[in-house]
Amino acid sequence: MAELNENFIKLPGSYLFSTVAKKVSAYQEAHPQADLIRLGIGDVTKPIVPVVIEALHKAVDEMGHAETFRGYAPDLGYPFLREAIAAEYTRRGCEVSSDEIFVSDGAKSDSANIQEIFAPDSRIAVCDPVYPVYVDSNVMAGRTGDYDAADGTWSRVIYMPCTAENGFVPELPKETPDLIYLCFPNNPTGTTITKEQLQQWVDYANRVGAVILYDAAYEAYITEEGLPHSIYECEGARSCAIELKSFSKKAGFTGLRLGYTVVPKEIVRGGASANALWARRHGTKYNGTPYIIQRAGEAVLTPEGDREVMEQVRYYLRNARTIRDGLTAAGYTVYGGVNSPYVWLKTPDHMSSWDFFDLLLSEKNIVGTPGSGFGPHGEGYFRLTGFGTYENTERAISRMQKL
Ligand SMILES: *Cc1c(COP(=O)(O)O)cnc(C)c1O
């Protein structure tokens, strides 16, 4: 008889967004007239920019003619896109070549799949609070030990608290990990890391032989000087860091699906190359991102595409600023929202994250995301996002100022 994978069975249900959805629909049913404003969304809302739409149309037409039709895309990505991405790194002064870039359908799948090329008994370290994909994918791989339902932690995972005290940048862990997941600018806290701080992580990883899995999905939202746009700005990162990137939050590709992972050839362990293993894995399990989508990605990387998508990024950033400034003026303690579409606020009067969720929903008809859903150290915090419309963002904040 076939048995199901016990690692998958161990995985607790994902309660956060389903509980939010249930509570919101129950409220709506009881109060059909309520004018709900949703600031919980982690998805973009603006349409794809004109330059990209034009590239999509052109690529679709090419598919309809024998001379320009394309079948399977190369497993690792079309050279035109890999070269355009490598050129971006060169412009930033980072050493990354096109054969170190692996085009994919997004950073969620890459961040979940990358663990496959590492030893089954690798110890992982994650921030707390954290984007849940890093932990769950390692649970599925049987790497995380036993689950403690009382505090929602796994026995073999090294948790690195990110708190107001450490500026939401984790301290080096006491136990030595093999794989370190970092995400900056961060989801959910909206905060980021300085180049000096990131350099310390790179030095640490090189010292202990660990590999950093660096999720830079929100890189386009960096507005301040002196912040690293890529981990390869740090010296020595090529021997210890894999970078995950996405077109989702930068160019509104959450529905189109496009991302990439950078695996430098200098990451070699036990004589084997991570770059070669990821190429082998990609070639076996992935048959290439659609040609049409890769052409759309190429358009994002042109000067005109960049201008158009960055205008949208600035729109979301203005919303995040509006939330941050409005709530600060009203006496809330607020983090993030400057180099990120996310604002992370402390709940007033030491309320729990879920109590504050209920209060905001019932008193102000605003939907956000309880911080405790991202990990134990998210308790007492709450996430709002700049992905709504400016008008709704302003209305929501003026409601919250009167709470
Ligand atoms: C949204 C997001 C991603 C990107 O996901 P895609 O699969 O590329 O859409 C990756 N990491 C984090 C932390 C995110 O919030």
Side-chain angles (χ1 to χ4, degrees):
M1 189 179 77
E3 308 262 5
L4 294 174
N5 188 330
E6 59 171 17
N7 296 325
F8 281 59
I9 297 167
K10 273 204 238 174
L11 205 57
S14 172
Y15 294 113
L16 179 60
F17 290 101
S18 64
T19 310
V20 166
K22 260 184 234 148
K23 281 181 179 256
V24 172
S25 67
Y27 185 84
Q28 240 170 351
E29 220 160 277
H31 308 85
Q33 311 298 336
D35 172 23
L36 285 185
I37 302 178
R38 293 163 199 274
L39 296 185
I41 38 175
D43 193 358
V44 296
T45 51
K46 295 226 154 255
I48 299 295
V49 300
V51 175
V52 174
I53 292 296
E54 205 178 299
L56 283 164
H57 279 303
K58 182 162 172 271
V60 167
D61 287 340
E62 284 180 59
M63 285 302 211
H65 295 96
E67 313 77 60
T68 47
F69 166 77
R70 312 268 185 145
Y72 287 124
D75 299 332
L76 309 182
Y78 277 103
F80 64 78
L81 183 59
R82 298 174 85 192
E83 278 155 25
I85 293 166
E88 278 243 299
Y89 278 105
T90 306
R91 274 198 295 282
R92 287 221 173 271
C94 298
E95 184 195 339
V96 170
S97 60
S98 61
D99 58 355
E100 295 174 320
I101 291 158
F102 298 85
V103 175
S104 72
D105 64 352
K108 184 180 196 174
S109 8
D110 283 352
S111 65
N113 292 331
I114 193 72
Q115 45 78 27
E116 290 183 17
I117 65 167
F118 293 95
D121 63 348
S122 302
R123 289 289 304 274
I124 70 156
V126 295
C127 292
D128 170 20
V130 71
Y131 180 60
V133 173
Y134 315 146
V135 176
D136 289 0
S137 55
N138 279 284
V139 174
M140 291 172 176
R143 228 179 241 120
T144 54
D146 300 317
Y147 186 63
D148 180 344
D151 66 358
T153 60
W154 295 88
S155 61
R156 285 190 85 246
V157 173
I158 300 167
Y159 292 92
M160 307 184 292
C162 293
T163 61
E165 289 68 45
N166 59 27
F168 303 97
V169 174
E171 283 135 49
L172 300 177
K174 290 183 186 70
E175 289 177 276
T176 307
D178 301 300
L179 301 175
I180 301 162
Y181 288 85
L182 295 178
C183 171
F184 292 107
N186 187 261
N187 177 11
T189 68
T191 57
T192 194
I193 194 166
T194 65
K195 189 163 166 204
E196 289 69 32
Q197 288 171 320
L198 188 57
Q199 183 66 55
Q200 286 178 12
W201 276 98
V202 168
D203 293 343
Y204 169 77
N206 276 326
R207 197 159 66 238
V208 301
V211 169
I212 297 172
L213 305 166
Y214 194 70
D215 184 339
Y218 295 94
E219 174 271 322
Y221 289 80
I222 294 174
T223 60
E224 293 179 305
E225 297 287 313
L227 299 176
H229 286 252
S230 163
I231 196 166
Y232 303 113
E233 291 176 34
C234 295
E235 217 172 296
R238 285 184 52 83
S239 55
C240 70
I242 288 173
E243 184 160 283
L244 306 145
K245 292 289 294 275
S246 170
F247 284 72
S248 287
K249 313 307 176 1
K250 171 179 178 156
F253 275 42
T254 52
L256 288 180
R257 311 304 310 143
L258 182 63
Y260 58 92
T261 288
V262 180
V263 188
K265 282 175 245 160
E266 282 154 45
I267 301 180
V268 174
R269 296 293 188 275
S273 147
N275 178 288
L277 293 194
W278 186 243
R280 188 73 175 83
R281 190 263 171 215
H282 223 49
T284 299
K285 295 199 177 185
Y286 191 61
N287 234 347
T289 308
Y291 171 71
I292 295 163
I293 304 300
Q294 293 194 52
R295 282 294 185 201
E298 181 189 32
V300 170
L301 300 177
T302 61
E304 214 182 341
D306 188 68
R307 201 159 46 245
E308 291 184 357
V309 300
M310 289 310 286
E311 200 174 304
Q312 294 192 340
V313 166
R314 279 192 292 274
Y315 178 89
Y316 297 134
L317 278 168
R318 179 168 73 138
N319 291 345
R321 265 283 188 186
T322 302
I323 299 170
R324 182 190 166 98
D325 294 348
L327 294 184
T328 304
Y332 289 83
T333 304
V334 177
Y335 304 94
V338 177
N339 301 293
S340 164
Y342 298 122
V343 173
W344 190 241
L345 62 108
K346 218 166 167 25
T347 61
D349 304 324
H350 304 285
M351 285 175 86
S352 78
S353 299
W354 277 110
D355 283 348
F356 187 63
F357 174 90
D358 291 332
L359 179 80
L360 262 197
L361 178 60
S362 60
E363 300 292 312
K364 298 294 165 188
N365 295 347
I366 296 168
V367 182
T369 310
S372 55
F374 298 99
H377 281 86
E379 181 57 274
Y381 288 91
F382 201 75
R383 193 190 75 174
L384 295 175
T385 87
F387 287 131
T389 65
Y390 182 66
E391 293 68 31
N392 278 343
T393 304
E394 276 207 308
R395 285 168 60 226
I397 295 314
S398 78
R399 287 185 196 175
M400 280 181 76
Q401 286 173 328
K402 291 177 209 121
L403 193 70

